[in-house]
Amino acid sequence: MIPANDFERQWRDIESDALAAFRKVGESGWYILGNEVRDFEAALAAYWGIPHVAGVASGLDAIELSLRILGCQSGDSVLTTPLSAFATTLAILKLGAVPVFVDIDGHGLLNLDRCRDLLWRRPDIRFFVPVHLYGHALDVAALRRMREEFNVHIVEDCAQSIGAHFRSEATGTAGQFAATSFYPTKNLGALGDGGAILTGNAEWHAQALALRDYGQSAKYRHEVVGYNSRLDEVHAAVLRHAMLPRLGRWIERRRAIAQRYLAGIRHAEVRCAGSPEGSESSWHLFPVLVTAARKAAFVEYLKTAGVMPSGHYPVIIPDQPVMAHAAFEFADDCQQARSFAASEVSLPIHPYLTDDEVAKVIEVINAWK
Ligand SMILES: Cc1ncc(COP(=O)(O)O)c(C=O)c1O
């Protein structure tokens, strides 16, 4: 079976660097908020080109804490996408804020023209969480223009977009904050949970450092009601010494696989969702679309033929059962998001796929009857 992700191959590759990183932390005797977290934060800031990074416990927390620093609170409306990991909306709900869902484009990303129209009509919307989904980049300059024109606070959800650019501008550089995740399947994944808050603002960065650590601004000085949301030293060490040095190669490999899929998949019923014009994608995922009526048969066929598909995401966020108990708004009918969700199947695109496996995935799809 060609798996959706291959952690066995990844471990064989990173094993000696990861074990050395564990040893370093063990020998230091310092497990929480020490040199490894600091060094990794500095290395990630340099890689991304955003001055300040605070490591936190998850991508979910990274979004929630960023919104909170920007003043988002109970009852505030937050513009966001109906098609994402549930965590994007969960971060908003945890603050008591109200997600406002706008429909997507043909690639599965927020429709920024509709977002613009909504911000124009609704000056009460002061917060915006756009998601650079699938490793594609939304138009970074357009986001920046919205931030300036509408004075809206933007937290870019970059959980899937590390390494992605839009016309040479890195995702995460338009908003007041970028939030990312080190969930193991991510392009930069840890051996467990983790996340980071990135910002150009030193004062907000200081607030993030305090919030993640019980709201302490200095040892035993608690100025705000904070969280325990610290990135562990072991995760930071593994990210810094085993994962980050490989990230460039991994993204190149994902890009090469995406190009082969785009060139090779030729089937009347299977359409590659592709990447938006201008996006230099990091190809966290590779979604294809089949008609909703044929999706289950396609998924079964792939599994029988030895290819493990996955799905991102089968049900849009506002249609999740828990949303029946939550306050939210539809800014439009979100019909495109619903039909995308009903049709989407993700192909394996992890960087340890061999050329033969990529060829097999293409051959299997093209032979589907
Ligand atoms: C787009 C998106 N946002 C947020 C998250 C949340 O990240 P985490 O799982 O680290 O909380 C994820 C990852 O699952 C994600 O894919």
Side-chain angles (χ1 to χ4, degrees), residues 58-61 63 84-85 87-88 131 133 157 159-160 181-183 186 193-194 313:
S58 68
L60 167 68
D61 285 1
I63 302 168
S84 181
T88 307
V131 182
L133 200 66
D157 182 339
Q160 301 189 4
S181 162
F182 308 124
Y183 185 80
K186 297 293 188 262
D193 275 310
Y313 295 88

Side-chain angles (χ1 to χ4, degrees), residues 183-227:
Y183 185 80
T185 58
K186 297 293 188 262
N187 285 15
L188 181 64
L191 301 181
D193 275 310
I197 295 171
L198 300 97
T199 181
N201 183 302
E203 168 54 25
W204 291 334
H205 173 62
Q207 289 184 39
L209 297 182
L211 270 185
R212 75 174 176 189
D213 191 22
Y214 313 138
Q216 296 186 82
S217 54
K219 199 166 165 75
Y220 300 135
R221 185 177 170 79
H222 300 267
E223 300 202 35
V224 288
V225 177
Y227 305 73

Side-chain angles (χ1 to χ4, degrees), residues 227-246:
Y227 305 73
N228 177 346
S229 183
R230 302 175 292 228
L231 179 66
D232 289 321
E233 283 284 282
V234 282
H235 290 311
V238 170
L239 285 163
R240 167 84 181 88
H241 303 292
M243 307 299 193
L244 193 55
R246 289 174 169 82

Side-chain angles (χ1 to χ4, degrees), residues 16 39 57 62 80 123 134 144 149 165 180 192 197 200 206 236 256 261 288 299 309 340 344:
S16 66
D39 287 357
T80 193
Y134 302 139
R144 192 175 299 113
E149 189 176 348
H165 292 72
T180 199
I197 295 171
Y261 283 159
V288 296
V299 166
F340 196 100
E344 194 273 344

